[in-house]
């Protein structure tokens, strides 16, 4: 191992350590004191409920663990968006579980809570996998009701999705394990089957205080909407459970009886570990964003047997395309090449930049994978498309548009891993969030933005200087440097993978060594949903 490898390894392991620290913090939800309060009420926490529900011996992944990170400080924060979402197995059947975290503002819904719940439902709909709701929520967070209540992608969309999933035959099971109030009361009852926990679970459109204020009726919450009322009088719920564990056990038993699903028929063989040492990724991935590395070395440490059958190897060299297997699943890989390469004509091309030939190659490969019914994996480390007169005259916009078209119209499931840079239109062409990847994750080394912090700061500095000069302000060298650093620091915060994860632009920030697990579980989920339409790229400027 050389010195550079060791420096890279130290840098990337420090980034990983920061990730683990942050995940540890959000795993506590509203904090230890609120967890203790939950236990004193005879209730398990959201994470404890999910852990009890999922099979012990199977892999699981958490969606949006860092949602809300650094947001809503004026309201005390919202760790994990106040809701925990995991994909795992219950009695051997893959499901997605959504659990309100009552230790965070009594499980109230912030804007990011709504977005995260909708993302969970989107995953269930795309992959046609059962969804389990563990309800324990005080409803909409009223100080921010205008940002969560009325719009198309707000709270009400949840119930619309309940109805759509029911019509699609996607199993929905809800357990009311705490509060379930106002409009939120519709979620469990629009599910296929609903359970309620005795003494701790309650469902009503309006609580006892509001009932008294509205119509003058004096009644306690238990009589109004407790387990006995809804299991024996109203018939709103289907099962009454004695406590959390009893409710979760009943869910396990229900899921255990669900019939088999039609598959997409994605190709899978027995899995193999990579021949190359996966942990070498930490030393290969450069600490500096300007340093080169060979993306093939990363691929060799992600794929089964380190076998990568490269497509058009000698053409369009700033994008790598080829066939591999990940945990036994056949995949087509589209990856940015971050090292400077030489074309057959002897011209040098910058690494991480998409040229016309690379876009053309990627477009053809994506079409091939759609024809062969092979899921696509995008490995992003891209600064954008090549600019300049030569590229413009060569039709870079046309070739880039063809690649974006192919990504947009792809019918096989797509999975995106942001390894390094994810800038500008490169993010789009390499299947950013707007292009419907089934899952999109980032490594701690990732950055997502229109351009790098350094480039953006230079542009913004010129604008700021021009504005100050118009006002007659003299700009010294020292003032210019201070201004540049202030602008860059602000922009760097926004390109951080944590900024993206907080807003659910990515589903998670992950340890690079967990990449295989995420892709494998993602393809397993996608295999539940047979492909319904043909790949068609529509009208193209050829």
């Amino acid at each position: 191992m050389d010195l550079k490898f060791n420096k890279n390894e130290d840098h990337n392991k420090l980034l990983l350590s920061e990730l683990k620290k942050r995940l540890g913090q959000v795993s506590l939800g509203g904090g230890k004191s609120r967890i203790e309060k939950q236990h004193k009420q005879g209730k398990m926490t959201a994470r404890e409920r999910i852990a009890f529900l999922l099979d012990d011996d199977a892999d699981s992944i958490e969606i949006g663990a860092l949602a809300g990170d650094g947001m809503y400080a004026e309201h005390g924060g919202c760790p994990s968006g106040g809701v925990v979402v995991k994909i795992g197995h219950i009695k051997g059947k893959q499901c997605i579980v959504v659990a309100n975290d009552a230790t965070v503002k009594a499980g109230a819904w912030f804007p990011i809570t709504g977005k995260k719940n909708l993302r969970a439902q989107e995953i269930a709909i795309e992959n046609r996998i059962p969804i389990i709701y563990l309800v324990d929520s005080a409803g909409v967070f009223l100080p921010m009701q205008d940002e969560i209540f009325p719009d198309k992608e707000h709270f009400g969309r949840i119930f619309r999705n309940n109805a759509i999933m029911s019509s699609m035959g996607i199993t929905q099971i809800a357990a009311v394990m705490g509060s379930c109030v106002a409009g939120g009361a519709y979620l469990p009852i629009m599910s296929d089957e609903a359970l309620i926990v005795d003494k701790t679970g309650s469902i009503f459109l309006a609580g006892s205080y509001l009932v008294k204020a509205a119509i003058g009726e004096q009644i306690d919450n238990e009589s109004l909407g407790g387990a006995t009322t809804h299991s024996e009088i109203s018939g709103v719920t289907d099962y009454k459970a004695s406590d959390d564990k009893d409710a979760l056990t009943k869910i396990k038993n229900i899921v255990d009886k669900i019939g088999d699903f039609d598959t997409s028929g994605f190709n899978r063989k027995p899995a193999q570990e990579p021949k190359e040492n996966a942990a070498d990724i930490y030393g290969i991935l450069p600490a500096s964003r300007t340093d080169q590395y060979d993306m093939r070395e990363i691929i060799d440490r992600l794929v089964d047997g380190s076998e990568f059958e490269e497509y058009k190897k000698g053409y369009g060299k700033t994008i790598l395309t080829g066939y591999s297997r990940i945990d036994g699943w056949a995949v087509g890989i589209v990856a940015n090449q971050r090292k400077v390469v030489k074309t057959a004509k002897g011209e040098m091309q910058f690494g991480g930049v998409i040229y016309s030939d690379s876009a053309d190659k990627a477009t053809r490969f994506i079409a091939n994978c759609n024809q062969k019914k092979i899921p696509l994996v995008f490995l992003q480390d891209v600064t954008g498309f090549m600019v300049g007169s030569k590229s413009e005259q060569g039709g870079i916009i046309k070739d880039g548009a063809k690649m974006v078209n192919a990504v947009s119209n792809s019918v096989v499931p797509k999975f995106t891993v942001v390894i390094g840079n994810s800038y500008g239109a490169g993010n789009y062409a390499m299947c950013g969030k707007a292009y419907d990847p089934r899952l999109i994750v980032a490594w701690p080394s990732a950055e997502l933005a229109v351009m790098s912090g350094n480039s953006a700061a230079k542009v913004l500095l010129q604008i700021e200087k021009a504005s100050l000069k118009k006002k007659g302000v003299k700009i010294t060298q020292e003032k210019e440097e201070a201004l540049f650093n202030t602008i860059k620091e602000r922009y760097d915060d926004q390109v951080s993978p944590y900024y993206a994860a907080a807003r659910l632009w990515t589903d998670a920030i992950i340890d690079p060594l967990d990449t295989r697990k995420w892709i494998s579980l993602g393809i397993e989920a996608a295999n539940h949903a047979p492909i319904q339409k043909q790949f068609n790229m529509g009208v193209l400027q050829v």
Side-chain angles (χ1 to χ4, degrees):
M1 299 295 177
D2 59 19
L3 182 60
K4 190 173 183 180
F5 182 99
N6 292 334
K7 286 183 176 179
N8 290 341
E9 187 176 45
D10 290 344
H11 172 80
N12 287 308
K13 286 189 173 180
L14 281 172
L15 293 180
L16 182 59
S17 177
E18 171 66 14
L19 171 62
K20 290 179 177 178
K21 178 183 174 183
R22 292 195 185 213
L23 290 174
Q25 289 171 342
V26 299
S27 71
L28 295 174
K32 292 181 179 179
S33 63
R34 290 180 183 172
I35 290 173
E36 289 171 7
K37 182 180 177 182
Q38 186 108 335
H39 288 161
K40 286 178 182 176
Q41 294 172 343
K43 295 160 65 176
M44 302 164 76
T45 66
R47 292 181 183 279
E48 289 168 345
R49 287 166 176 167
I50 292 177
F52 184 89
L53 194 56
L54 296 182
D55 297 346
D56 292 334
D57 58 348
D59 283 335
S60 65
I61 53 178
E62 182 170 353
I63 304 295
L66 292 162
D69 183 58
M71 299 168 67
Y72 315 119
E74 69 277 22
H75 298 296
C78 188
S80 287
V83 61
V84 183
V85 176
K86 285 195 175 185
I87 299 174
H89 296 82
I90 300 171
K91 294 289 186 177
K93 186 169 291 292
Q94 195 176 39
C95 302
I96 185 163
V97 185
V98 182
N100 299 117
D101 188 347
T103 70
V104 180
K105 291 288 190 296
W109 286 54
F110 284 71
I112 196 66
T113 317
K115 187 173 183 179
K116 187 169 173 180
N117 274 267
L118 288 171
R119 176 61 179 142
Q121 290 186 320
E122 180 183 43
I123 290 170
I125 290 169
E126 284 181 331
N127 299 292
R128 302 200 173 202
I129 59 173
I131 183 167
I132 315 297
Y133 307 101
L134 306 180
V135 184
D136 193 346
S137 171
V140 166
F141 184 64
L142 290 178
M144 301 188 76
Q145 65 84 27
D146 60 319
E147 296 182 46
I148 181 64
F149 170 66
D151 210 346
K152 180 180 178 181
E153 300 299 332
H154 283 175
F155 192 79
R157 189 77 170 181
I158 303 288
F159 315 132
R160 176 264 187 192
N161 287 349
N162 287 144
I164 294 297
M165 283 190 278
S166 183
S167 72
M168 294 174 66
I170 298 169
T171 298
Q172 301 175 84
I173 302 168
V176 179
M177 311 181 82
S179 296
C180 182
V181 300
Y186 288 105
L187 184 146
I189 311 313
M190 292 190 74
S191 299
D192 302 321
E193 296 185 82
L195 304 86
I196 188 168
V197 178
D198 194 22
K199 300 296 185 288
T200 56
S202 59
I203 312 172
F204 35 65
L205 296 181
S208 56
Y209 292 120
L210 186 54
V211 167
K212 184 176 181 181
I215 62 173
E217 181 183 2
Q218 185 82 36
I219 188 170
D220 63 88
N221 282 339
E222 183 64 26
S223 300
L224 182 66
T228 299
T229 294
H230 286 310
S231 296
E232 300 176 19
I233 300 172
S234 73
V236 164
T237 55
D238 305 306
Y239 306 91
K240 180 180 177 182
S242 57
D243 57 21
D244 281 9
K245 288 186 177 180
D246 184 36
L248 297 169
T249 300
K250 288 180 187 298
I251 292 173
K252 289 184 181 186
N253 292 336
I254 295 168
V255 172
D256 192 37
K257 312 301 187 299
I258 296 174
D260 242 340
F261 55 89
D262 296 331
T263 71
S264 290
F266 299 128
N267 187 298
R268 192 179 197 186
K269 290 186 175 180
Q272 297 179 42
E273 290 298 316
K275 286 183 180 176
E276 301 293 340
N277 182 9
D280 287 348
I281 287 173
Y282 303 126
I284 294 167
L285 198 63
S288 169
R289 311 202 79 77
T290 57
D291 284 355
Q292 300 178 51
Y293 68 95
D294 190 346
M295 182 62 84
R296 289 184 186 87
E297 293 189 20
I298 299 292
I299 293 171
D300 284 346
R301 287 156 178 83
L302 294 177
V303 302
D304 289 16
S306 300
E307 294 176 358
F308 179 53
E309 188 66 39
E310 197 164 344
Y311 172 84
K312 288 186 178 290
K313 184 175 181 179
Y315 176 71
K317 293 182 179 180
T318 64
I319 286 183
L320 306 178
T321 52
Y323 303 105
S324 285
R325 291 188 182 275
I326 292 178
D327 197 35
W329 294 104
V331 296
I333 294 175
V334 181
N336 301 113
Q337 176 61 293
R338 252 280 291 275
K339 70 175 186 176
V340 175
V341 297
K342 185 184 289 188
T343 69
K345 296 178 181 179
E347 298 170 335
M348 302 306 292
Q349 293 185 340
F350 296 107
V353 179
I354 302 176
Y355 290 78
S356 284
D357 54 357
S358 298
D360 174 64
K361 177 172 81 170
T363 301
R364 295 188 193 194
F365 181 72
I366 290 166
N368 283 344
C369 286
N370 274 271
Q371 186 185 54
K372 296 179 176 71
K373 206 159 69 172
I374 300 173
L376 286 158
V377 175
F378 293 83
L379 304 179
Q380 285 195 9
D381 193 346
V382 58
T383 53
F385 286 88
M386 190 58 191
V387 298
S389 60
K390 185 175 181 181
S391 291
E392 298 293 359
Q393 291 166 13
I396 185 66
I397 296 175
K398 178 180 66 178
D399 291 318
K402 285 192 288 187
M403 182 176 173
V404 170
N405 193 310
V407 172
S408 302
N409 285 299
S410 181
V411 297
V412 295
K414 299 165 291 194
F415 302 89
T416 302
V417 183
V418 186
I419 289 175
N421 302 323
S422 181
Y423 298 153
N427 169 280
Y428 301 159
M430 291 294 294
C431 197
K433 183 67 181 289
Y435 292 81
D436 299 320
R438 296 293 176 96
L439 294 171
I440 177 170
V441 297
W443 289 0
S445 49
E447 284 190 359
L448 293 86
V450 171
M451 60 183 75
S452 71
N454 197 56
S455 298
K458 288 177 181 177
V459 173
L460 294 169
L461 177 64
Q462 297 308 311
I463 296 171
E464 186 70 18
K465 282 170 62 179
S467 175
L468 291 171
K469 282 180 180 178
K470 281 184 181 179
K471 296 174 183 176
V473 178
K474 186 178 180 182
I475 302 173
T476 63
Q477 181 69 29
E478 291 78 13
K479 186 175 181 63
E480 183 173 330
E481 287 179 6
L483 200 55
F484 175 83
N485 290 332
T486 299
I487 294 169
K488 186 176 183 301
E489 185 177 328
R490 184 175 67 242
Y491 197 88
D492 282 345
D493 285 341
Q494 295 180 0
V495 305
S496 159
Y498 293 98
Y499 192 91
R503 288 152 184 81
L504 287 174
W505 301 344
T506 60
D507 291 316
I509 304 174
I510 66 168
D511 182 341
L513 302 191
D514 286 335
T515 304
R516 283 169 54 84
K517 177 176 74 173
W518 273 78
I519 293 171
S520 178
L521 286 174
I523 298 175
E524 180 187 346
N527 204 36
H528 290 75
I531 295 170
Q532 301 293 328
K533 60 181 182 178
Q534 295 291 317
F535 176 66
N536 184 345
M537 287 179 59
V539 177
L540 290 173
Q541 296 288 337
V542 293

